[in-house]
Amino acid sequence: MSYLCIVKQKIIITGGMGYIGSHTAVELIESGFAVVIIDNLSNAREEVLDGIHSITGVRPVFEKLDLVEHEKTLAVFEKHKDAIGVIHFAALKAVGESVAKPGLYFKNNILSLVHVLECMERFQIPNLIFSSSCTVYGEPDKLPVTEETPTKKANSPYGATKQIGEEVIQAELHANSQLKAISLRYFNPVGAHNSAKIGELPLGVPNNLMPYITQTALGIREELSVFGADYNTKDGTAIRDYIHVVDLAKAHVSALDRLAHDTQEKNYEIYNIGTGKGYTVLEVIHAFERATGQSIQYKMVTRRAGDVEAVYANANLANEKLAWSAQESLETMCSSAYTWEKMYRGTEKSAT
Ligand code: UDP
């Protein structure tokens, strides 16, 4: 009798305790990878590990580490130098905070990436997936946006860190001939894992639309403010491409597959990860009401500074090259977000 020992391929997920990172960890574990999470817990809780464990039956290795710390980062990567790839989510992401503290954002988001790239070169880890964002397109002249749509000057330091991040990777590819990279430009991730064991956990008052809606539905927030009713759209409110976070997580597995099997056409590829459909803020509110039976108290207020009128993806390239497409409807995004919020809050209705 012969015994087959299957060694799982190791993937490092920086920022793996966060919203998108934790959903991606689940999808990777379920696809047979061994996951190591690096996170400084600046915007995440350690209990996320319990959620991942409970869904997958596997507790990922966790390294509490701030990637800005050079020596410690080298030591942790050395420990995991058998990894075949890194998915780099770790970053600060609050647009408003980035305007108030630009230095913090550049230092944190750029230096972390530089350190990750240095470790990948030193320990010969070949495959990188980078979390980019549709913010790189700014207010596009033409919709939907393709990967060829020109990027615009970023309207926040946060957005600038995503643009610069893409450029840093591009430059590094000239210096490190072993490196292969894919940047995924995310549109608006919402929703939660259907187990409701992991989901979005904003600290304090949410900035983003969906957690504000779910908290309003539960009475934690009194009323949703709809930012801008005078946009040139069908109902005057702004349009975004909302994508279920599990669909987004699966795009990372597809991208990793492409890198690991060496099937990419260029050593650096960029993909839009969206559904290709744009919805207004009012459409999202009404979809939520239909999906959950909960009515949402809202009022129209002035536009939020820095918001664009409309952006949604042409995701054909990802559909074709990554053999990936978004599957979940806006209703499922809303109902899963609400189920998660209810599970997380229990019966408690006070603001945190
Ligand atoms: N939005 C809103 N009220 C809120 C939060 C967001 O009307 O409390 C709008 C926002 O102006 C934008 C859309 O919802 O048009 C999505 O905003 P979010 O902050 O979720 O994502 P963004 O597209 O800004 O990254």
Side-chain angles (χ1 to χ4, degrees), residues 95 133-135 158 187-190 200 206-213 223-228 231 237-242 279-281 284-285 299 301-304 306-309 311:
V95 173
S133 163
C134 67
T135 59
Y158 162 75
F187 283 68
N188 286 55
V190 293
E200 194 169 7
N207 286 311
N208 295 113
L209 179 62
M210 190 60 82
Y212 211 106
I213 290 178
E223 191 173 41
L224 170 74
S225 294
V226 175
F227 298 136
Y231 286 110
T237 65
I239 292 176
R240 297 287 182 277
D241 184 335
Y242 296 91
Y279 291 102
T280 67
V281 176
V284 175
I285 295 171
K299 63 173 181 222
V301 301
T302 51
R303 295 180 181 193
R304 182 171 69 177
D307 273 352
V308 302
E309 180 169 274
V311 62

Side-chain angles (χ1 to χ4, degrees), residues 137-288:
Y137 299 117
E139 180 84 69
D141 298 326
K142 236 177 93 189
L143 288 167
V145 291
T146 72
E147 292 78 357
E148 301 302 318
T149 298
T151 57
K152 295 262 180 80
K153 185 172 161 29
N155 50 12
S156 71
Y158 162 75
T161 66
K162 292 297 172 189
Q163 290 183 339
I164 296 166
E166 288 191 4
E167 282 176 29
V168 169
I169 294 167
Q170 180 80 68
E172 182 67 19
L173 282 156
H174 292 293
N176 176 0
S177 59
Q178 293 203 343
L179 184 67
K180 296 173 287 167
I182 290 180
S183 282
L184 300 180
R185 290 178 176 164
Y186 310 153
F187 283 68
N188 286 55
V190 293
H193 193 266
N194 65 10
S195 65
K197 288 176 175 167
I198 52 172
E200 194 169 7
L201 259 184
L203 298 178
V205 182
N207 286 311
N208 295 113
L209 179 62
M210 190 60 82
Y212 211 106
I213 290 178
T214 54
Q215 293 193 12
T216 306
L218 281 182
I220 297 168
R221 309 286 158 206
E222 212 172 294
E223 191 173 41
L224 170 74
S225 294
V226 175
F227 298 136
D230 57 348
Y231 286 110
N232 186 23
T233 61
K234 58 183 141 183
D235 59 24
T237 65
I239 292 176
R240 297 287 182 277
D241 184 335
Y242 296 91
I243 175 167
H244 197 298
V245 67
V246 173
D247 276 333
L248 177 55
K250 287 178 175 162
H252 295 78
V253 181
S254 301
L256 185 62
D257 219 49
R258 186 167 170 85
L259 289 172
H261 289 101
D262 250 328
T263 48
Q264 77 278 13
E265 285 150 31
K266 291 177 276 183
N267 62 359
Y268 187 33
E269 294 180 337
I270 295 178
Y271 295 100
N272 284 341
I273 304 295
T275 65
K277 294 188 204 96
Y279 291 102
T280 67
V281 176
L282 288 181
E283 284 174 329
V284 175
I285 295 171
H286 295 136
F288 184 89

Side-chain angles (χ1 to χ4, degrees), residues 89-153:
F89 292 102
L92 296 172
K93 61 170 187 176
V95 173
E97 185 188 47
S98 79
V99 175
K101 300 176 185 169
L104 175 70
Y105 271 66
F106 287 112
K107 182 175 148 204
N108 188 80
N109 293 4
I110 304 302
L111 200 52
S112 299
L113 173 62
V114 168
H115 287 167
V116 165
L117 288 166
E118 180 190 340
C119 290
M120 291 181 74
E121 181 168 20
R122 179 165 318 184
F123 302 114
Q124 300 183 355
I125 302 172
N127 302 307
L128 173 69
I129 297 175
F130 176 64
S131 298
S132 190
S133 163
C134 67
T135 59
V136 301
Y137 299 117
E139 180 84 69
D141 298 326
K142 236 177 93 189
L143 288 167
V145 291
T146 72
E147 292 78 357
E148 301 302 318
T149 298
T151 57
K152 295 262 180 80
K153 185 172 161 29

Side-chain angles (χ1 to χ4, degrees), residues 10 34-38 49 58-63 79-80:
K10 187 188 275 190
V35 163
V36 174
I37 290 178
I38 295 177
L49 280 180
V58 175
R59 198 170 184 83
V61 174
F62 172 52
E63 302 281 2
K79 204 166 136 191
H80 298 292

